[in-house]
Amino acid sequence: MAGNRAVAYKGPGKVEVIDTDYPTFELQDGPGVNPANVGRQVPHGVILKTVATNICGSDQHMVRGRTTAPSDLVLGHEITGEVVEVGRDVEFVKTGDLVSVPFNISCGRCVNCKKRRTEICLNVNPDRPGSAYGYVDMGGWVGGQAEYVLVPYADWNALVFPDKAQAMEKILDLTMLSDILPTGYHGAVSAKVGTGSTVYVAGAGPVGLAAAASAQLLGAAVVVVGDFNTERLAQARSFGCETIDLSKGEPHEQIEDLLKSPEVDAAIDAVGFEAMGHGGKEAPATVLNSVMSVVSAGGSVGIPGLYVTGDPGGVDEAAQRGALSMDFGTGWAKALTFVTGQTPVMKYHRGLMQAILNDRIHIAKAVNAEVISLDDAPRGYEEFDKGAAKKYVIDAHGSIR
């Protein structure tokens, strides 16, 4: 039996590379695994040799101790890999295929999957609709920041790249298909970005940068990105965005200086619940309130930023259970549309794959992808937590040139 190594959460602020079990076609007991999923048979799955697996801001929330994630949870939901074993019931995915895996696990059989709402599949997480690899309260499917990982419902979930050699040439772009590119794109689509739109993106982390690049792909006239991190703002400017430094004033004031109007057609919250207020203190509703203030009446707000139902490190009792002081009256008065929740990756990933393969978007450059080894993952987490203007891609087997 082959071995396996993986990145595991060891407690607030700490991750380690550990020896762990090689995947099997049966869900085993372990940290975070829902008891109802233990022993679940996965003849419809494949085992991947991981080629690229990325560190995500959502992982960072757990590593900071801002969720109820248990110690030794294997992390990682952004997975691209080569199929090395195929389950008995898999018909179309073959050994040797190079595939992208949506971060949200779905069955392809339930009513929500049939509506293309794969982010709220009803059959993969006994606790609630929706699931993901290596994530707290998501059913206990083992994460992909590992040498090998199990992918269930492979004929449904795995996006096979049509030309393996071509895909490896563009692997740093294609690895973003598992999460941040579809997530950023979903934020832009949810905000109804179109030709000629003016767009405000709150947050210049990888998802915010992906949202900004997606808004450009959708035809936005101008994309304004706001953040406190000057290096991340410089990264946004590197591919044609306007930027505002939130330490220097309110978004609507700076947007008016740029656009001669304090309001935009569409806004995207790419920050989530660990948002910082202008006084340098955490204020979890501040971004939601600011995007409502800057989007024009009748506009839409896409919210790919993560909000949780349980936050042990929340600033107050309400925030610790996900209840925020949101200025909903403004949203109601302006007749705004809000779109929240996980991204239905499968709704977008095939089209975005074609955009990458045909050089319509260069997402790795936009998010400043940097390749690191599996053993370097703890350093990647540490630097990302300090605000590095990078997207860390873990090369688990030395496959990436």
Side-chain angles (χ1 to χ4, degrees), residues 365-389:
K365 183 178 179 181
V367 301
N368 195 21
E370 178 174 310
V371 179
I372 60 175
S373 69
L374 190 69
D375 288 317
D376 263 348
R379 173 181 66 84
Y381 271 97
E382 182 180 0
E383 292 180 0
F384 188 44
D385 188 50
K386 292 177 180 177

Side-chain angles (χ1 to χ4, degrees), residues 121-139:
C121 174
L122 300 174
N123 288 333
V124 287
N125 183 357
D127 282 335
R128 63 189 187 201
S131 187
Y133 302 89
Y135 212 84
V136 60
D137 296 333
M138 288 292 185

